[in-house]
Amino acid sequence: MQTPKMKTPVSRFRRGPSRPLNSSFKSPVRSPAPKPPAAEDQTSLAKEVEMLRKREAELREQVAQLQQEGYLEDDLPECIQVLHRYNEMKDIGQMLLGRLATLEGVTTREMYQKFELNLED
């Protein structure tokens, strides 16, 4: 007995997903419509906005005071760069102290005391 001949070649059938793999996923579940904010939420948002406005005013006062003392906003990038360099050097120093402590079998706190360093720095 012979198998019947197919009218459509097998290569024409799609295998796998029916759409491209890189298309975005669309959930069949609909998300609920957003609810309008409750009166309590609006009150708390109004308070938060007021607090932020007060904070902005305080910061503006601080900036004005610093400018009166002679600090320039243009110097800020250089100061930040110097602080980054300082922090990197401090991190390296702390790593070295930690390694020394491990080699000597003591705690890092004891290494700070040995070298008369402040733990808060």
Side-chain angles (χ1 to χ4, degrees), residues 29-68:
V29 179
R30 290 188 179 184
S31 58
K35 297 178 182 178
E40 297 169 352
D41 292 340
Q42 289 179 350
T43 304
S44 66
L45 286 174
K47 287 180 182 178
E48 186 175 350
V49 168
E50 185 61 31
M51 285 180 17
L52 289 172
R53 286 186 178 148
K54 286 180 182 178
R55 179 70 178 139
E56 180 186 18
E58 291 171 2
L59 290 173
R60 287 186 188 277
E61 287 177 23
Q62 288 178 5
V63 167
Q65 182 181 359
L66 289 171
Q67 287 174 340
Q68 287 176 354

